Amino acid sequence: MSSSVRTLRIEISSEPRLLHVLRGVVKYRAKQAGFSDSDADCLAMAISEAASNVIRHTLGNRHDDRFALEVNTYPDRMEFILEDTGPKVQPESIRPRALEDVRPGGLGTYFIKCFVDASSYDESFPNGNRLKLVKYLSPKVADRHESAGPDHG
Amino acid sequence: MKVLVRITDNNTIIDCTGDVDLYSSPQLREKLLESMRGANSRVLVNMSGVSYIDSSGIATLVEGLQLSQKTRTRFGLFGLRSNARSVLELARLNKVFAIFDNEQEALEKISSTEPFSGLA
């Protein structure tokens, strides 16, 4: 790994009451990396939504499990990697709901899409899921091989 | 998060404080749905103390809106901070909910708003 990368990795219980800790970590690191308060808030929300989906959908609301968040800070971007040990997610099945369809749920995907530049699942990850979310410090077109929309609801 | 319910005249006001996320939104949901099924015909959520709201919190509010249609309750939100307002705007729900700047305006205008207009 390049020396220009700063990495923080935390493992956290799948208890929803700890989501605010994740948000705090993401916001702190994002501000350190040079993101504005507003962008840091948006990133914190995106990662919190993704983690919520890990808890709700991938781990089946089991609160005695664990997952990991790795935050990699590069000079031009931040990468957030969520790893869990749940059943494999089928990325093609994950779609945000249409906004005109006013009903509870289905907005998590949409918020993540709004707040990150790219997302992708590492299909080679052996046991569980490895989701990468990327946000550039300045606007940049996401790689065509990466897609947005990494959650269930 | 703290959720307190106040009853005044024909109004139920739910004071919500803190982060509304996957952990805390069930508390808001319980109070909101209970209020919708109660005797008062107007239910307002005071969001002036809400520092963060995520998709589960928004889902709770949408569920409340849907139930208000069934129970013929007038339902509104007031005191939204800029971040909560931005999230509702991003989800294009700012036109679906009756949103007021403060409690006084909410109490004055909730009766004259078109009920249930946000849902098909």
Side-chain angles (χ1 to χ4, degrees):
Chain A
M1 189 172 285
S2 162
S3 60
S4 63
V5 184
R6 288 192 304 128
T7 295
L8 169 73
R9 184 180 173 88
I10 55 174
E11 285 195 24
I12 193 163
S13 160
S14 58
E15 292 184 49
R17 68 182 172 87
L18 298 177
L19 283 169
H20 75 99
V21 176
L22 278 191
R23 291 196 291 274
V25 168
V26 170
K27 186 172 179 180
Y28 179 75
R29 293 296 282 217
K31 287 174 71 174
Q32 270 192 329
F35 286 99
S36 66
D37 279 356
S38 170
D39 282 346
D41 282 339
C42 291
L43 275 173
M45 183 171 185
I47 307 311
S48 186
E49 292 283 3
S52 295
N53 285 318
V54 167
I55 294 169
R56 288 179 63 203
H57 301 290
T58 313
L59 300 179
N61 266 323
R62 287 196 319 274
H63 298 171
D64 58 350
D65 215 318
R66 298 181 76 76
F67 62 96
L69 172 68
E70 186 175 300
V71 182
N72 296 319
T73 306
Y74 295 85
D76 66 332
R77 68 188 187 279
M78 292 186 79
E79 290 179 357
F80 302 90
I81 296 169
L82 278 165
E83 291 178 358
D84 66 67
T85 56
K88 283 284 184 193
V89 167
Q90 302 300 318
E92 64 276 9
S93 68
I94 301 167
R95 294 283 181 275
R97 73 160 165 80
L99 292 185
E100 59 271 19
D101 178 17
V102 178
R103 60 176 168 78
L107 285 173
T109 301
Y110 175 70
F111 290 143
I112 295 169
K113 281 187 71 169
C114 289
F115 296 146
V116 302
D117 293 319
S119 69
S120 59
Y121 279 98
D122 178 358
E123 293 181 8
S124 67
F125 192 65
N127 300 308
N129 300 284
R130 190 171 198 264
L131 169 66
K132 182 168 76 173
L133 302 171
V134 182
K135 180 69 178 178
Y136 291 92
L137 268 161
S138 57
K140 181 172 179 174
V141 177
D143 189 292
R144 283 168 181 258
H145 296 292
E146 295 183 308
S147 63
D151 79 344
H152 308 250
Chain B
M1 185 187 73
K2 286 183 183 173
V3 183
L4 297 172
V5 178
R6 288 184 282 139
I7 310 289
T8 61
D9 299 328
N10 199 24
N11 309 299
T12 298
I13 299 172
I14 301 172
D15 295 312
C16 195
T17 306
D19 288 8
V20 185
D21 63 6
L22 182 65
Y23 172 61
S24 56
S25 60
Q27 297 171 54
L28 174 60
R29 181 177 184 272
E30 180 188 343
K31 297 295 184 189
L32 187 55
L33 301 191
E34 188 180 291
S35 300
M36 289 289 177
R37 296 186 178 107
N40 285 344
S41 61
R42 297 189 289 261
V43 174
L44 293 163
V45 180
N46 174 8
M47 297 185 67
S48 60
V50 172
S51 45
Y52 172 86
I53 186 164
D54 73 355
S55 63
S56 68
I58 299 293
T60 297
L61 296 177
V62 171
E63 194 177 357
L65 186 66
Q66 289 180 328
L67 186 57
S68 75
Q69 191 175 31
K70 292 176 184 166
T71 59
R72 303 198 62 76
T73 305
R74 290 177 192 268
F75 177 50
L77 316 173
F78 69 86
L80 280 79
R81 296 184 186 182
S82 61
N83 54 347
R85 193 176 285 268
S86 296
V87 168
L88 282 176
E89 287 173 358
L90 194 61
R92 297 187 206 157
L93 291 169
N94 54 313
K95 302 294 184 192
V96 172
F97 289 101
I99 297 175
F100 307 98
D101 286 342
N102 52 53
E103 182 170 335
Q104 185 181 352
E105 185 196 25
L107 290 172
E108 285 171 4
K109 294 185 178 175
I110 187 69
S111 295
S112 59
T113 56
E114 195 62 34
F116 335 123
S117 57
L119 299 172

